[in-house]
């Protein structure tokens, strides 16, 4: 397997002087292509900060982040925008769909930004919509869909450019348990059948159990790490709960 | 504590809501300027010459109050909308509804009183600007004009009453609104669902608009040809209605139709721009229609009022081509009256040269009977010898003419000019004279609306009907009003007034017409300024109201890989398309308006200045409007850019 993401000793500080606070205190880890990794930890542990610096929407104070061998910490703003557009896919808790656009327009917007031909765009749209079972919803506006359907649309938008890495920030945070389960099964499909590499931040042990690897954060560092290996998901779930109990965090267990 | 909170909020709002503050300040400034204008001694002095001037300033004051009230209620509503979530939050934290109302009242009154002060300060300058403009039109030297205490008092009273009314309306809303309504997100502006239907309606309304403009032009030309022009006002009303309807339908259709073009839609952020525009246009189509109509009205009025000034300048030259003219019906007393007039003129300025000329009449109606109205009144034909006519022409810089056994019809009425004289020959002293041409282009050397120029030999032995003298004076007349008063007393007829005296004094005519044109221009410029500023302020506020939502949307675009430059271009396209919609047509309208005014000048007999002067005026008006537009657009864009565009760090 090839290394897709490699972070080396990342730190991130906010504020200055006496009011300085450390969000990341030297985080190093790597991800292989096709890996599904979950990041868990209590509020303020630094997991969202990590996601933001990898997503290039925030810059680390020091350290390097290599995605496909390119150090994004050294890229200029314009290069970052292009990199974000072409190589990264995003899925957020609040879906982040544009309310003025139809679902089809939301999904194809990243391709429009890449200036892809219309015919190719339409082909990719129908392919991704079919695989995520949202073909019937394409002409609707986000406000006309349920939370689960909106999150599927957000996934379709993240997948359509075939990014190197999909970043998901609490993707089930606004969903009920049925929709959360459905979404996680879809993540499994994206990971196993479509070969997507996924880095997901979550509080939820059930959601974490779908990942092949879980990183536990505490006070800005990787405190522990679990690998699913050949274990059943249920076994992974119990392992996560045990780890969280030791971690003593305030993670929510559903 | 509430007062402290209010003061802190106001400090923050001055920074955030620049457009609100500028708009209220500008409204107060314009109100103060117009109140000073209507109490100005200089203008009142001119107003004595015309009751229309007083009427016009009263009308402008009433209009200003109405527009200011509209602007204030709109901006107060805007403030409330921007801050409703914050008020909802205060209520959930335990503040009472009464506390919120006191807080909002304190804030709006602090803002309003500040704007009143700055508005009065700006009004002081605007007033002097208008007075300088007025002095320029009156062709009198500009001196700093005194301010009126009454004008100041009236401005303060009107402003406070208007602030009070808009505040009461907001308080009424805050009394009735529920916490949920305050905290709820604004509904998303929905895209147009039936773009094809609106497109068809647009085509129909644009077609009707073009048709009604053509018919209006034809009706106007009919009026100039002395034909029935009763429908002109009706067609003008239809034009305004069609401008309104075409903008409503076009604004609803345009984005929807563009969205149907797949290639265009799928390019970059176009779909984002068009969807946003479609929602905005659908929600605001009536507003866009109303603003476009107001702006067309402002542009038209500005063009017409400047046209009035051009007309006034040319009319003076045409109606009084010499420094002074004396025009008497031949009678026994005429010699004495002319001598008295001459002496009177010499008391004011030495006479450099004078040209004597006469009209002749044999008491026949051969040519006048060809004209409807003149035939019934049995108007007699009057003739001027060619040599005298040429002497008068060359004396005021016109080219002389030649006539060979022909007669020239000279009139100042276009209807008479259009009458066919081609088969009307006249016999004078045994010789037949045929029609050469008819013209309205020559200066008015006599008081008659119609006379005929013929070769000198045709008038031998014909009795003189009118005796006239054209004077060229050495000096500029120091007190022309007094001189005209004295000359009027010489004319003993019962019809004699300063305007209809047998003596015409160019300087007096100039003063009279300048007062009329100057007042009209100041009035219409003021109204146009108010309309343009109102339109721009409303558009800016509409954009700024939605910044919170746009910020969220641009944050998503940023995450999807849209760089800062693309975001700025997207925002620029979005705002300029919304701003341009009600402005494009009024600006384009200046071209046909300029052409039409050029035609009107031709009909007035000022062929020399026809198209060019009118187009120059239209061009200047367009530039001024575009300048104000650019200023407002730039401020709005800058604020929106600072607030909306994401760059570098994590957007909130």
């Amino acid at each position: 397997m090839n290394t897709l993401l490699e972070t080396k000793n990342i730190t991130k500080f906010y504020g200055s002087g006496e009011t300085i606070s450390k969000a990341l205190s030297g985080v190093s880890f790597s991800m292989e292509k096709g890996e599904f990794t979950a990041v868990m930890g209590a509020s303020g542990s630094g997991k969202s900060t990590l996601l933001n610096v990898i997503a290039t929407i925030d810059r680390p104070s020091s350290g390097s982040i290599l995605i496909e061998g390119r150090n994004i910490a050294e890229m200029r703003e314009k290069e970052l925008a292009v990199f974000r557009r072409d190589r990264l896919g995003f899925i957020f808790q609040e879906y982040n769909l544009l309310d003025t656009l139809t679902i089809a327009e939301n999904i194809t917007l990243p391709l429009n930004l890449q200036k892809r031909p219309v015919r190719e765009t339409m082909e990719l749209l129908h392919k991704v919509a079919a695989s995520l079972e949202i073909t019937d919803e394409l002409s609707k506006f986000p406000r006309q869909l349920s939370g689960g359907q909106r999150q599927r649309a957000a996934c379709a938008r993240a997948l359509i450019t075939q990014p190197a890495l999909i970043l998901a920030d609490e993707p089930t945070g606004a969903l009920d348990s049925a929709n959360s389960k459905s979404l996680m099964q879809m993540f499994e499909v994206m990971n196993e059948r479509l070969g997507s590499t996924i880095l997901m931040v979550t509080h939820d042990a059930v959601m974490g159990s779908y990942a092949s690897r879980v990183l536990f954060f505490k006070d800005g560092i990787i405190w522990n790490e679990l690998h699913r290996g050949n274990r059943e998901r249920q076994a992974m779930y119990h392992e996560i709960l045990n780890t969280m109990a030791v971690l003593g965090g305030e993670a929510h267990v559903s | 504590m509430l007062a402290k909170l209010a003061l802190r909020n106001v400090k923050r709002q001055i920074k955030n809501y620049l457009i609100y503050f500028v708009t209220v300040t500008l409204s107060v400034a314009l109100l103060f300027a117009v109140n000073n204008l209507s109490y100005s001694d200089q203008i009142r002095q001119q107003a004595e010459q015309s009751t229309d001037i007083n009427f016009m300033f009263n009308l402008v004051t009433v209009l200003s109050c109405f527009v200011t009230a509209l602007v204030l209620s709109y901006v107060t509503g805007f403030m409330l909308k921007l801050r409703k979530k914050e008020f909802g939050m205060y209520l959930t934290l335990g503040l009472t509804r009464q506390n919120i109302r006191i807080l909002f009242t304190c804030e709006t009154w602090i803002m309003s009183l500040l704007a009143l002060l700055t508005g009065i300060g700006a009004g002081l300058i605007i007033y002097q600007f208008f007075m300088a403009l007025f002095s320029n039109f009156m062709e009198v030297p500009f001196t700093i004009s005194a301010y009126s205490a009454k004008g100041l008092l009236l401005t303060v009273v009107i402003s406070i009453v208007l602030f009070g009314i808009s505040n009461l309306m907001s308080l009424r809303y805050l009394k009735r609104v529920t916490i949920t309504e305050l905290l709820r997100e604004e509904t998303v502006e929905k895209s147009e669902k039936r773009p094809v239907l609106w497109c068809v309606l647009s085509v129909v309304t644009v077609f009707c608009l073009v048709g009604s403009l053509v018919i209006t032009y034809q009706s106007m030309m009919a009026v100039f040809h002395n034909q029935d022009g009763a429908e002109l006002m009706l067609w003008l009303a239809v034009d305004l209605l069609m401008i309104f309807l075409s903008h409503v339908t076009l604004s609803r259709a345009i984005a929807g139709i563009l969205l149907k073009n797949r290639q265009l839609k799928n390019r970059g952020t176009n779909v984002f721009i068009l969807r946003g525009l479609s929602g905005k246009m659908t929600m605001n189509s009536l507003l866009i229609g109303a603003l476009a109509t107001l702006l067309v009205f402002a542009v038209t009025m500005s063009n017409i009022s400047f046209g009035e000034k051009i007309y006034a300048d040319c009319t003076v030259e045409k109606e009084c081509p010499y420094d002074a003219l004396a025009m008497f019906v031949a009678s026994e007393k005429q010699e004495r009256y002319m001598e008295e007039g001459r002496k009177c003129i010499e008391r004011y300025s030495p006479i450099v040269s004078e040209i004597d000329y006469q009209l002749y009449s044999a008491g026949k109606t051969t040519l006048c009977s060809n004209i409807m109205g003149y035939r019934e009144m049995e108007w007699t034909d009057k003739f001027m010898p060619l040599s005298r006519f040429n002497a008068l022409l060359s004396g005021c810089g016109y080219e002389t003419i030649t006539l060979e056994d022909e007669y020239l019809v000279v009139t100042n009425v276009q209807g008479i000019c259009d009458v066919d004289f081609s088969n009307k020959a006249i016999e004078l002293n045994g010789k037949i004279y045929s029609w050469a041409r008819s013209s309205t282009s020559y200066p008015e050397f006599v008081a008659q609306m119609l006379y005929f120029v013929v070769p000198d030999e045709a008038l031998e032995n014909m009795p003189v009907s009118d005796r006239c003298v054209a004077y060229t004076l050495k000096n500029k007349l120091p007190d022309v009003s007094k001189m005209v008063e004295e000359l009027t007393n010489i004319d003993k007829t019962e019809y004699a007034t300063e305007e209809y005296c047998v003596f015409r004094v160019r300087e007096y005519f100039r003063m009279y017409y300048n007062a009329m044109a100057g007042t009209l221009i100041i009035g219409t410029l003021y109204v146009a300024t108010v309309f343009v500023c109102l339109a721009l302020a409303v558009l800016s506020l509409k954009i700024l109201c939605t910044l919170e939502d746009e910020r969220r949307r641009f944050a998503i675009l940023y995450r999807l890989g849209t760089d800062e430059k693309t975001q700025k271009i997207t925002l620029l396209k979005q705002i300029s398309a919304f701003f341009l919609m009600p402005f494009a047509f009024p600006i384009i309208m200046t071209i046909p308006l300029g052409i039409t005014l050029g035609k009107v000048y031709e009909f007035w007999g000022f062929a020399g200045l026809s198209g060019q002067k009118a187009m120059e005026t239209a061009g200047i008006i367009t530039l001024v409007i575009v300048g104000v537009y650019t200023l407002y657009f730039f401020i709005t864009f800058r604020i929106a850019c600072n607030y909306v565009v994401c760059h570098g760090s994590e957007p909130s």
Side-chain angles (χ1 to χ4, degrees), chain B residues 229-293:
Chain B
E231 314 114 31
L232 180 61
M233 293 310 288
L234 174 74
W235 282 110
L236 283 171
V238 172
D239 289 342
L240 288 179
L241 180 70
M242 282 304 145
I243 288 165
F244 174 75
L245 289 178
S246 57
H247 277 82
V248 171
T249 51
L250 268 172
S251 55
R252 294 199 73 153
I254 200 154
I257 288 299
L258 291 175
L259 276 167
K260 294 256 173 210
N261 184 330
R262 210 177 251 192
Q263 287 292 342
L264 178 80
K265 176 182 157 183
N266 285 296
R267 204 176 298 151
T269 53
N270 281 359
V271 66
F272 178 80
I273 297 167
L274 290 172
R275 280 284 177 205
L277 203 60
S278 175
K280 273 197 178 65
M281 294 293 195
T282 306
M283 294 282 282
N284 300 305
S285 59
L286 289 177
L287 174 80
I288 288 167
L291 292 183
T293 314

Side-chain angles (χ1 to χ4, degrees), chain A residues 2 8 10-11 14 16 25 42 59 65 69 87 100 109 144 152 159 172 174 183 201 208-209 217 229 231 236 252:
Chain A
N2 303 318
K8 288 179 187 167
I10 310 171
T11 61
Y14 290 109
S16 58
S25 307
R59 283 183 184 270
I65 303 166
R87 306 307 299 148
T100 50
L109 186 59
Q144 295 171 295
R152 278 170 184 267
L159 274 176
T172 57
L183 182 72
V201 164
S209 66
F217 266 66
R231 276 180 290 182
M236 180 70 169
H252 162 72

Side-chain angles (χ1 to χ4, degrees), chain B residues 20-21 23-29 31 65 68-69 71-73 75-76 104-105 108-120 155-171:
Chain B
Y20 167 84
F21 193 71
T23 307
V24 178
T25 301
L26 200 63
S27 304
V28 174
L31 192 65
C65 292
T68 312
V71 172
L72 280 177
S73 64
V75 289
T76 314
F104 186 69
T105 305
T108 47
W109 276 101
I110 292 169
M111 285 284 277
S112 303
L113 292 177
L114 271 175
L116 178 65
L117 282 177
T118 48
I120 286 170
T155 309
V156 173
V157 170
I158 291 174
S159 302
I160 287 178
V161 168
L162 293 177
F163 291 153
I165 292 170
S166 59
N167 187 232
L168 279 176
M169 283 164 67
S170 306
L171 292 184

